[in-house]
Structure formats: structure tokens, C-alpha cells
Amino acid sequence: MNPVLPDAEALVGELVRQLAPRVTPETGMIGIFTGGVWLAQRLHRELGVALPLGSIDISFYRDDYAKSGLHASVKPSQIPFDVDGRHVLLVDDVLYTGRTVRGALNEIFDYGRPASVSLVVLADRGGRELPIAAQHVGAHVTVPEGSMLVLSRSDGGVLTLQLERNA
Amino acid sequence: MRNPQLNAKGELRHLLTIEGLPREILLQILDTAKSFLGVTEREVKKVPLLRGKSVFNLFFEPSTRTRTTFEIAAKRLSADVVNLAISTSSQTKGETLLDTVDNLSAMHADMFVVRHASSGAPFLIAGHVKPHVHVVNAGDGRHAHPTQGLLDAYTIRHYKQDFTRLSVAIVGDILHSRVARSLIHALTTLGTPDVRVIGPQTLLPTGVERLGVSVHHDMAAGLRDVDVIVMLRLQNERMRGPLLPSAGEFFKAYGLTPEKLALAKPDAIVMHPGPMNRGVEIDSSVADGAQAVILPQVTFGIAVRMAVMSILAGASA
């Protein structure tokens, strides 16, 4: 039995409303590959964030490297602004165990010491394995056991949430 | 028989030679290296992938540059690094190669980076170590120097993007060069249509055409319209041997001067694995000129070695 999933485009609008009062000319934004970068590109544009968007691939910081090895397609991380002393919005599509965010935080701190990091996610599906929480959440979503909640993007740039069976 | 460098899933667990490796693996290494290049430009030039692992640099033949770049690469992956120059220690006391390896394995080595004067020594070690231990060939005899071949390929890709449209000339002492052999295998695997080797008959291996290259003895014909020129080092001992009349004669015929460089495409790049002999295989004005990418090669080499070590260490037996 599949629950009805929220409309990702409506959640983007919800996040824009939440974040608009918080964005200043000094705000830095970083998306996590792949879905988090898609979402961050939208938020970055619609919020008119002044600094260029950063993107990180946390493959070099994963905690399951010893078990699973290195991902075959690692994207270069790029943070094109100085992280030191900055308020940073970290953006991902789905928050689940919290392990990806842990890796992302470690990576950001290798670029410098931010004043603060706030986590922005389109969907929080619960199931945390680490003490990590998002400050800005589009929606809380219940996901059936054995399924993954994933974000996809059409050629036209429309974002959609979907359920996929675990591999 | 399975390639001894790959595990049952087809992942790279030892890097011994580029010969016979699938194109996808070479591309995976080059792509991963691109991501590591960014790491080396950050405030903290380190990632935690090999934290708690021990990498042993096992050099049975002297080398400063290659050993140093492997050491830096391993340290930037957070590994502990132990450097051993074996020519000066236990081998002179009569210990065999595999006894040395067994002793170091008992010290919980996770990876051996091996340079040896004998072709095949890293294969012997890879066949001997426990399943969780990985071996990188850092140059064996005249046979292979795969990370150099990969960093050369990375450099060419960085400046010229698409291998399938390129003409590449490799110039000098091909006979004794493991660098040339590894680069030729990398280039042909990556689909380079025109690979030329240029040198005197005495410094070209017989049957080199079988590797998929064309052979030239004359720079004027060989360099015509190439996109990439790779100059090889002429080792001092060769200049005194029977293969060449003199260093001066060699420079006259095969040294890369601005005049000879002008035969290549105007945007051709000049590479050299180092260390260079100025005035023997390359003129100073070319080595320091706008078309030389010899120092970027060194920088790329660290990212490529980080990629190789992190891919190997992540692959199961």
C-alpha cells in the first residue's frame, strides 16, 4: 500500500517561504549530490542568493567505504565561497539515517569553520541513526518498509518525489 | 583466467599494469582523480578514506619523485605511511623479496607501493599477500609504470578532452622505458587513433608496432601535426653505452627544440615524466615554454595516485 506522496514542486514553494526571511547577502548555500543539488539550484534561484552555489559529493567521507568501497562516479565538490565565519544553508532532498549529513558536515569543516550550518530538506522520512535534525523541512513523509524515497528531475526541470524498492 | 588485478566483481584490487585493464576502469580512475584534484586545493587537503590504514612504500630502486608523490597521496587520504628503501637494508643481508613482504605484512600493512628493478616483482608480491592487502606497481624494470601512464593520460585529457581525435608522439628511449609502455597501453585502451613512437632504431623495442603504434626514426615526419608530444628521459648510462654515439648527437636528432616543436599543431602540449635532462632530450626554452605542461603533470600525479589508492583499498578480495 503506497501512501500519497506530497507534490515536490509545492514543497519547494513551502521551503522558499520558510527561508526567505533568513537569507542575507552573506548567506552561503551548499547542495549535496545529486538530489540535494537539484533542490539547491531551485532554492538558490528563487531566493536570489547572492553568493554562487556550492555542491558537495560526500563519497570521500562515507562511513560505509570499508564495506562498500568507493562509488564508481564521484563528482567533484566545489564550494566557491569562503566558508569561514559564514551562515551556511546545507540542502539535501531526503533526510533519513542522517549519515549523509554527517559526512557533509565533516567535508564542509575541511573547507573552513562556518558560523552556523542549518539543514534544509525537501522531505524528512524519519529513521534517524544519528542525532541530526533539519531546521527547514518541506514535509514529513511516511515510507513503507523496504522502500526508498527518491527525488527525480524531468528534462524540463520539474521535481518529483517517488518510491523505489530497495535494491 | 581472470585478470589478477580484478576481484570477482570486476573491481580493481591491485594496480600492476595498464595492459589488459578495461576502458571503464581507466575512466573511473581518471574521473575520481578529477574529484581529488579539488581536495588538494582546499584549506584542509585531506579526506578520511584511508584513516587507520598503513601504506608501505617499498622501493627496491631509488626514486625521490615517485616515492614522494605516493607518500603525499597516501597522507592526503589520511593513511599512515612507512617508507622503506630496501636496497640499503635487509636485501643486502640476504633476505628474499617475499620474506621482506611477510615481515612487513606482520606489521599490518594494508597496501604495498612497490618499485623494483626486476620486471614482474609487484606481480609476485600481489600473488603472495593476504586477500585484504593491495599492491600498486610504482615501476618494475622495463615493464610497467601504470600510475605514470595514468597521470599522463589524465594530463592529456585535461588539456585535450577527447582521446578519440588525437595524435600523440612519444619520443626518445622507448626500449628501456616502462613509462612509454604504460602510456601506450593507456592511450590505445582509451581509443587514441594515432600513437607514434619516435627514436633511433637502437632505442626502439623490436615489434613495438604490435602495441598499436606507428614507428618513426625522423622527428620531422613523426612530429608533423601532433596534438601531444611526450619526451622521455635519456638515462645517463645509455649515453655512455653502445646504443648511442653521444648525448650531443642525440640532441641534434631527437632533442625537442622550438624549431622541431613548430612541426606539431600550434596548440600542441609538451610532456615529460621527469627528471629532465635539459640540452639532452629537451631544450630549456621548450621545457620552460608556454606549451610545456610538465609541472601540472606532477600536480595531477598526486590526484591520480589518490584515486588509485582509494579505489584499490575499497575493493574487496
Side-chain angles (χ1 to χ4, degrees), chain B residues 26 40 45 62-63 71 76 86 102 129 142 158 248 280 308 314 317:
Chain B
L26 302 192
T40 63
K45 296 171 183 55
S63 151
E71 179 176 354
R76 290 193 178 158
I86 308 281
D102 282 340
V129 293
R142 296 182 190 181
H158 178 88
V280 177
V308 166

Side-chain angles (χ1 to χ4, degrees), chain B residues 206-227:
Chain B
T206 47
V208 67
E209 302 88 347
R210 284 199 298 270
L211 299 178
V213 300
S214 61
V215 175
H216 297 265
H217 302 300
D218 171 31
M219 290 283 265
L223 291 183
R224 178 84 54 202
D225 293 330
V226 294
D227 301 281

Side-chain angles (χ1 to χ4, degrees), chain A residues 59-61 65 68-70 72 74-76 107 110-111, chain B residues 28 32 35-36 42 44 46-50 310 313-314:
Chain A
S59 296
F60 297 152
Y61 292 81
Y65 166 75
S68 315
L70 195 63
V74 185
K75 307 276 189 306
E107 176 153 10
D110 283 347
Y111 283 83
Chain B
Q28 183 197 359
T32 306
S35 296
F36 278 120
R42 302 187 321 202
V44 177
K46 247 173 152 48
V47 294
L49 282 178
L50 264 58
S310 59

Side-chain angles (χ1 to χ4, degrees), chain B residues 60-74:
Chain B
F60 296 88
E61 207 183 62
S63 151
T64 308
R65 180 180 318 227
T66 301
R67 187 194 47 69
T68 306
T69 53
F70 269 108
E71 179 176 354
I72 292 171

